[in-house]
Amino acid sequence: MPDFNSMRELNIGLLSFSALITMFLLLGTLAAQKRKLPFMRQFSYLLLTNVIMQLGEAGICIFDGSKHRAILYLCLCLSFGGGVALMVLYTYCLTSFIKEKAQVSYRLAHIVGIVGGIYLILVISSPFTGVLFTIDANGYYVDGPLSIVASLLDPVVMIAVVILILRYRKALEVKGILYLVSISVLSIPTMLLWDVWYPEPEYIMMTLYFVMVFILFDGEVAERLVRKERELADSKYALTISQIQPHFIFNCLSTIKYLVRKDQMEAMETIDEFADYLRDRMDYLTKKCGIPFSDELKLVNHYLYLEKKRFGDKLHIAYEIQTDGFMVPAVSVQPIVENAVKHGIRGQLEGGTIKIATKENEKEFLIQVMDDGAGFDLKEQKADGRSHVGISNVEKRLALMCQGSLEIESEPGEGCCVTICIPKKRGGMGYEDTDCR
């Protein structure tokens, strides 16, 4: 087998390429969202140390046997010192990563840190004592009497790391275990090459391993952000529902109270209608995903039935339903209709008409609620800072649950038109349960 240690150009090229790959990983790790997590911050230090260590080793290849003894000593310190710092940082980084998932002590990391600190003192003192390395009269690097420590430290730390991984295997899950213990598998061929090629294969192995760790950590960061977004969406959804329920119940009970005074039989029919409405509505509101538009339209009809009892012939209802094969967030159209009745029609002596229409285009489903009531000035309303709670809640839930939107068009005396846009997904059938958050 050829002596790879004597192939300077090959070793310098491999080490430089490995350092370049590590630099790209470092740039990816330094993304703003990732630096906030302790294990990602420590991982960035780890990658920086790996770059320094490999550049130091490349410097050894370049200056070994030259007259630049001071530079060679510096490169030796960077290589040996970077190696021990790498082991210490990795232990802390792994412990912090596990800590995100389970209760874990830093005791093992502290022990590795103490051992590493002692070893680092030997590295710094070696240019003067020669305990780990020295330079002979011809300018060549020579192992010191304790150089064997350098080759033993890595396996010892790797064994400790594997023990840590296996101890917390339940928290890491199968994917995490496979990624993290792969360092032991990758180390085997490098150990077999120690007699003919060392330490370049080990450095390259470490870089390949860090690529795998980066993939694992990056996936964990992404999952963590998704979980936070879902928790935020759930909390906002719960808040929205708590605001909407009392509002609807108050209006419906007011209608029933009015009908009790007018006609008891009619009031009983309205109570039955209201009971059906509450039952269906409460059932839909327990779902954090969408409901078919036809079910939402049924809720709208329940509401309009009650309002029709109050306003009689003053309230006219018109429909133009061109499509209904899509999903909407529960109680997303009914508040719009209620708002049209309350602010657009109720103040008109002659009453007015509420029109509900649906249509679709290539990208989205459109739901329009129109009234020919009083209308209002949008610019003036924004300047006054006024907004309707029902409309605001609908707009938030559309954005959270299906990336939908809401648009309002109105002019004083010209009525109002509210358009709900539901993006199409998966074959043009609107958003589905798996798209909800």
Side-chain angles (χ1 to χ4, degrees):
M1 184 176 291
D3 183 9
F4 291 100
N5 289 326
S6 62
M7 300 180 182
R8 290 195 177 191
E9 291 79 7
L10 173 64
N11 291 328
I12 293 170
L14 289 174
L15 289 168
S16 300
F17 179 70
S18 182
L20 183 62
I21 292 176
T22 307
M23 282 297 298
F24 281 117
L25 294 178
L26 179 60
L27 292 175
T29 306
L30 291 177
Q33 289 292 339
K34 300 173 183 177
R35 294 180 64 184
K36 296 178 181 179
L37 297 175
F39 69 88
M40 290 304 288
R41 184 170 59 252
Q42 292 164 1
F43 187 59
S44 65
Y45 301 150
L46 184 67
L47 294 174
L48 181 60
T49 303
N50 192 47
V51 172
I52 294 172
M53 180 182 68
Q54 297 195 65
L55 292 179
E57 186 63 28
I60 295 174
C61 295
I62 296 172
F63 296 103
D64 195 26
S66 70
K67 297 179 181 180
H68 304 284
R69 299 173 64 89
I71 298 178
L72 182 57
Y73 268 125
L74 175 62
C75 293
L76 286 166
C77 288
L78 291 177
S79 179
F80 278 78
V84 65
L86 202 69
M87 294 298 100
V88 174
L89 286 170
Y90 178 70
T91 309
Y92 275 99
C93 181
L94 178 60
T95 305
S96 296
F97 178 68
I98 296 175
K99 196 173 182 64
E100 293 287 324
K101 301 171 174 290
Q103 291 292 331
V104 58
S105 171
Y106 280 92
R107 184 180 304 168
L108 180 60
H110 294 332
I111 294 174
V112 173
I114 293 171
V115 174
I118 297 172
Y119 181 83
L120 193 58
I121 293 174
L122 296 177
V123 171
I124 297 173
S125 65
S126 285
F128 311 100
T129 63
V131 291
L132 291 180
F133 54 80
T134 187
I135 300 175
D136 63 18
N138 296 319
Y140 286 97
Y141 151 72
V142 178
D143 286 331
L146 297 182
S147 61
I148 189 65
V149 176
S151 58
L152 293 177
L153 181 64
D154 293 353
V156 170
V157 173
M158 288 300 100
I159 292 173
V161 166
V162 170
I163 293 174
L164 187 64
I165 293 170
L166 294 179
R167 182 176 179 181
Y168 296 96
R169 59 188 181 277
K170 292 183 179 179
L172 291 171
E173 301 176 347
V174 176
K175 182 178 73 172
I177 294 173
L178 292 176
Y179 273 77
L180 294 172
V181 299
S182 63
I183 189 170
S184 299
V185 178
L186 292 172
S187 296
I188 294 174
T190 66
M191 293 179 183
L192 297 176
L193 292 173
W194 276 1
D195 291 337
V196 294
W197 200 8
Y198 179 83
E200 284 78 7
E202 186 172 338
Y203 288 174
I204 295 169
M205 177 274 296
M206 289 299 299
T207 298
L208 292 176
Y209 177 68
F210 289 150
V211 171
M212 299 179 67
V213 173
F214 175 83
I215 295 172
L216 175 66
F217 284 7
D218 190 66
E220 176 64 24
V221 171
E223 290 178 8
R224 182 187 177 97
L225 291 175
V226 169
R227 286 196 298 267
K228 283 191 173 182
E229 287 179 0
R230 286 179 177 172
E231 290 172 1
L232 178 62
D234 289 346
S235 65
K236 287 184 177 180
Y237 183 85
L239 177 61
T240 297
I241 296 306
S242 68
Q243 291 174 336
I244 288 178
Q245 282 182 338
H247 185 62
F248 274 107
I249 293 173
F250 175 80
N251 283 321
C252 291
L253 291 177
S254 296
T255 300
I256 293 172
K257 179 181 177 181
Y258 168 79
L259 291 174
V260 166
R261 296 173 180 174
K262 178 183 176 184
D263 188 320
Q264 291 188 0
M265 289 300 296
E266 215 175 338
M268 291 177 63
E269 292 177 4
T270 305
I271 289 173
D272 289 338
E273 185 80 12
F274 182 46
D276 291 339
Y277 165 76
L278 284 178
R279 182 175 59 251
D280 291 341
R281 180 173 175 274
M282 296 302 178
D283 179 57
Y284 295 151
L285 288 180
T286 59
K287 300 179 180 179
K288 297 177 183 178
C289 298
I291 63 173
F293 172 74
S294 56
D295 289 344
E296 177 70 19
L297 189 60
K298 185 166 67 172
L299 291 175
V300 171
N301 290 335
H302 282 308
Y303 169 77
L304 289 174
Y305 172 91
L306 297 171
E307 291 291 61
K308 188 73 174 174
K309 291 296 182 181
R310 293 185 62 187
F311 294 107
D313 293 337
K314 286 187 176 182
L315 177 60
H316 304 281
I317 313 297
Y319 296 92
E320 189 177 321
I321 307 299
Q322 297 182 13
T323 179
D324 62 359
F326 59 96
M327 310 284 281
V328 296
V331 195
S332 57
V333 180
Q334 197 268 344
I336 308 299
V337 174
E338 180 181 2
N339 194 70
V341 173
K342 181 178 179 181
H343 299 284
I345 303 301
R346 192 166 63 181
Q348 302 290 99
L349 293 176
E350 68 280 9
T353 300
I354 302 292
K355 182 178 180 181
I356 302 170
T358 64
K359 55 185 177 181
E360 64 178 299
N361 54 41
E362 292 182 358
K363 296 183 178 180
E364 56 194 0
F365 293 98
L366 302 175
I367 307 168
Q368 291 184 313
V369 178
M370 297 164 277
D371 69 75
D372 56 2
F376 57 91
D377 190 324
L378 285 171
K379 294 181 180 179
E380 183 178 316
Q381 185 188 50
K382 290 179 180 179
D384 292 343
R386 292 178 296 171
S387 64
H388 302 296
V389 174
I391 297 289
S392 177
N393 284 331
V394 169
E395 192 169 18
K396 289 178 182 178
R397 286 190 293 127
L398 284 169
L400 284 170
M401 297 180 66
C402 62
Q403 295 79 51
S405 60
L406 184 148
E407 299 176 2
I408 302 176
E409 299 177 27
S410 183
E411 292 287 344
E414 299 295 330
C416 180
C417 176
V418 177
T419 303
I420 294 175
C421 304
I422 306 289
K424 284 186 175 180
K425 293 184 179 180
R426 303 184 182 179
M429 291 304 293
Y431 81 96
E432 301 179 8
D433 286 356
T434 51
D435 295 308
C436 299
R437 287 190 251 173

